[in-house]
Amino acid sequence: MLQAYRDKALAEKAAKAIRKLAPEGKIKFMHVCGTHEQTITRFGLRSLLPENIEIIPGPGCPVCVTPAKDIDIAIELAKQGKTIAIYGDMFRVPGSRSSLNKEKAKGGDVRIVYSIRDAVKLAREHKDKEVVFFSIGFETTAPTVASEILSSPPENFSILTSHRLIPPVMELLLGIGDFEIKGWICPGHVATIIGVKAFRIFPEVYGMPTVIAGFEPLDVLLALVMLLKQVKKKEPKAENEYSRVVTEEGNLKAQKMMNEVFEVCDENWRGIGKVPNSALKLKKEFSEYDAREKFDVEVEEAIDVLPGCSCHLVIVGKLKPEQCPMFGKKCTPSSPHGPCMVSQEGTCNIAYKYGDHKK
C-alpha cells in the first residue's frame, strides 16, 4: 500500500494538479516536521512545483528546539556522576559551552538508548547508579514517557523533561509581523496523538488553510493540492490527508496518560524564545521522578544562539541553510556547529545530505 504513495505516475498527476491550481503571485506554505522536510528534499519535490509556490520548513525538529539550558543541565548532571540516557540524535547537539558527547569523552557516563524503556531497564540493572533519561520530543514521544512513569520505575530513575507542543508554536509564528505563509502542512505523527481537532484553531480563528499530511512523497503533494483548493475557494479548513492513520479525536488513551502525568507550561524553544503553553512538565505528584527537583543543579547563563550560527533563523523559516555562512564549511554533520546540523530531522542536516549545494 505504501508503495503507491511513491508511484511516479501518481506523483506527476498530483504535480500537474498543483500547477493548474497555482495562483498568480508568490504563495508560501509551511510545514513543521523534520520528516516532511526529509521527504521534500530527498525526493526533490520542490523541483516539481511552480516557481511561485514555496514550502518553508518550520520548527519541526525536536532536537533542534531543545533549549541549550536543558542540555547544560544534562551535562552538569553527567559531571556530578549521574548516568545520562539519551536518544542518539541528542548526543552531539551543542549546549552553551559543551555537548554530551564531549562530556562522555571526558569520562562522563552518557548512554544512547532507543526508548525510555531502555533507560528504565538500565536503572533496574544498575541500582547503585542514578539514571537520568533526557526526555525530549513533541506530542509523539510524550505518551511513552507517561506510560513508564505510571508503571512506577525504580527509585534511582528520573527524567529531565524537555517536551514541546506543536500547535502553540504554530500559533506564535502567526503573530510574527513579516510572517507571510498562507497555509500549514501539519505533522501526521503528532496528529496521530492529538487528532485533527487540535489543529482546527488555525482555519477557524486565523483563517489559515490547514492540512495534516503523511510522510510519503505523494502524501505531501496531495496535501499541497488540498491547500491550493482551499486557497482558490477561499474556504480555509482543517483537512486530513493522512486519514489512514489520523482520526478526528486522536489517540484518546495516549492523551489520557499524558494528561495524568504532565501539565502544560510556558517554556523556551531554542531559536524562538518563550512560547506560552507550549511545553510539558511533570505534575507535583510525580516530582520524585523529576531530575530538576531531585538533584541540586545550577548552570551558567545559557547561550541558545552560538556565535556565527544561523539556526535560530533556519528554525523559523527566515533563512535557508545554504544562506548561513557556516553551512558546509565550518558546520557539517561530522562537525556540527549548530543544532540544525546534528539531527537527521534538522533542516541543515537534511539540506547537506540531500540538497544540491555541492553541485
Side-chain angles (χ1 to χ4, degrees), residues 119-140:
V120 171
K121 182 181 178 183
L122 186 66
R124 294 191 191 281
E125 292 174 348
H126 302 276
K127 294 183 179 180
D128 59 326
K129 293 179 176 289
E130 286 286 350
V131 176
V132 179
F133 176 65
F134 195 176
S135 188
I136 72 156
F138 298 136
E139 293 92 335
T140 321

Side-chain angles (χ1 to χ4, degrees), residues 208-255:
M208 184 69 66
T210 301
V211 176
I212 294 159
F215 307 105
E216 295 299 324
L218 193 58
D219 284 316
V220 176
L221 293 173
L222 290 175
L224 283 172
V225 171
M226 295 163 81
L227 283 172
L228 288 166
K229 285 182 178 179
Q230 290 187 40
V231 170
K232 185 175 183 178
K233 294 180 180 179
K234 297 181 180 179
E235 295 179 356
K237 52 188 173 181
E239 291 189 282
N240 182 14
E241 184 279 331
Y242 202 30
S243 57
R244 62 187 185 273
V245 175
V246 175
T247 64
E248 173 66 23
E249 297 296 323
N251 188 325
L252 296 178
K253 184 176 181 180
Q255 292 172 32

Side-chain angles (χ1 to χ4, degrees), residues 119-331:
V120 171
K121 182 181 178 183
L122 186 66
R124 294 191 191 281
E125 292 174 348
H126 302 276
K127 294 183 179 180
D128 59 326
K129 293 179 176 289
E130 286 286 350
V131 176
V132 179
F133 176 65
F134 195 176
S135 188
I136 72 156
F138 298 136
E139 293 92 335
T140 321
T141 56
T144 60
V145 177
S147 175
E148 288 297 328
I149 295 298
L150 290 171
S151 299
S152 299
E155 292 182 359
N156 63 322
F157 176 82
S158 58
I159 65 172
L160 178 61
T161 311
S162 193
H163 286 284
R164 298 294 181 266
L165 306 174
I166 285 292
V169 79
M170 291 169 62
E171 195 170 1
L172 178 100
L173 289 175
L174 292 178
I176 297 176
D178 57 351
F179 206 64
E180 300 175 349
I181 70 162
K182 300 300 181 183
W184 294 108
I185 298 176
C186 300
H189 42 34
V190 169
T192 301
I193 302 299
I194 62 177
V196 179
K197 63 179 183 180
F199 296 95
R200 293 201 178 279
I201 184 175
F202 298 104
E204 293 174 2
V205 176
Y206 297 100
M208 184 69 66
T210 301
V211 176
I212 294 159
F215 307 105
E216 295 299 324
L218 193 58
D219 284 316
V220 176
L221 293 173
L222 290 175
L224 283 172
V225 171
M226 295 163 81
L227 283 172
L228 288 166
K229 285 182 178 179
Q230 290 187 40
V231 170
K232 185 175 183 178
K233 294 180 180 179
K234 297 181 180 179
E235 295 179 356
K237 52 188 173 181
E239 291 189 282
N240 182 14
E241 184 279 331
Y242 202 30
S243 57
R244 62 187 185 273
V245 175
V246 175
T247 64
E248 173 66 23
E249 297 296 323
N251 188 325
L252 296 178
K253 184 176 181 180
Q255 292 172 32
K256 182 177 182 295
M257 288 190 296
M258 286 169 61
N259 293 334
E260 192 172 343
V261 171
F262 296 110
E263 60 181 292
V264 176
C265 61
D266 304 342
E267 197 50 90
N268 286 323
W269 290 52
R270 189 168 194 164
I272 298 175
K274 184 160 284 189
V275 182
N277 301 314
S278 68
L280 298 175
K281 65 178 182 179
L282 284 172
K283 289 184 174 180
K284 287 185 179 180
E285 52 263 46
F286 300 102
S287 60
E288 63 188 291
Y289 300 116
D290 189 338
R292 288 182 175 86
E293 296 287 334
K294 192 173 183 179
F295 307 111
D296 182 21
V297 184
E298 291 186 9
V299 295
E300 297 181 54
E301 185 176 351
I303 304 171
D304 268 342
V305 181
L306 300 173
C309 180
S310 300
C311 279
H312 60 297
L313 298 175
V314 173
I315 284 171
V316 297
K318 287 192 172 185
L319 203 70
K320 294 178 180 178
E322 297 85 355
Q323 293 173 311
C324 175
M326 283 192 163
F327 179 82
K329 301 178 181 72
K330 293 183 179 180
C331 185

Side-chain angles (χ1 to χ4, degrees), residues 6-54:
R6 295 190 182 187
D7 185 274
K8 185 177 179 180
L10 292 175
E12 288 175 347
K13 186 176 180 180
K16 184 178 179 180
I18 289 170
R19 290 191 291 271
K20 187 175 181 181
L21 289 164
E24 294 183 5
K26 286 189 174 293
I27 186 167
K28 298 178 182 179
F29 299 120
M30 176 175 271
H31 69 74
V32 280
C33 173
T35 309
H36 278 154
E37 183 61 19
Q38 270 195 351
T39 298
I40 291 165
T41 307
R42 179 186 173 190
F43 290 97
L45 298 190
R46 288 186 176 94
S47 67
L48 300 178
L49 306 180
E51 290 186 2
N52 65 323
I53 295 179
E54 187 175 0

Side-chain angles (χ1 to χ4, degrees), residues 40-109:
I40 291 165
T41 307
R42 179 186 173 190
F43 290 97
L45 298 190
R46 288 186 176 94
S47 67
L48 300 178
L49 306 180
E51 290 186 2
N52 65 323
I53 295 179
E54 187 175 0
I55 309 176
I56 303 170
C61 166
V63 168
C64 305
V65 300
T66 299
K69 183 177 181 179
D70 291 0
I71 300 171
D72 296 345
I73 291 172
I75 289 170
E76 180 59 29
L77 288 170
K79 289 180 177 178
Q80 292 180 7
K82 313 297 187 292
T83 297
I84 309 300
I86 57 168
Y87 297 130
D89 274 5
M90 282 302 306
F91 190 51
R92 294 184 300 121
V93 179
S96 301
R97 299 162 189 87
S98 185
S99 62
L100 286 163
N101 73 317
K102 289 180 180 178
E103 294 309 313
K104 183 176 178 65
K106 295 175 184 177
D109 190 5

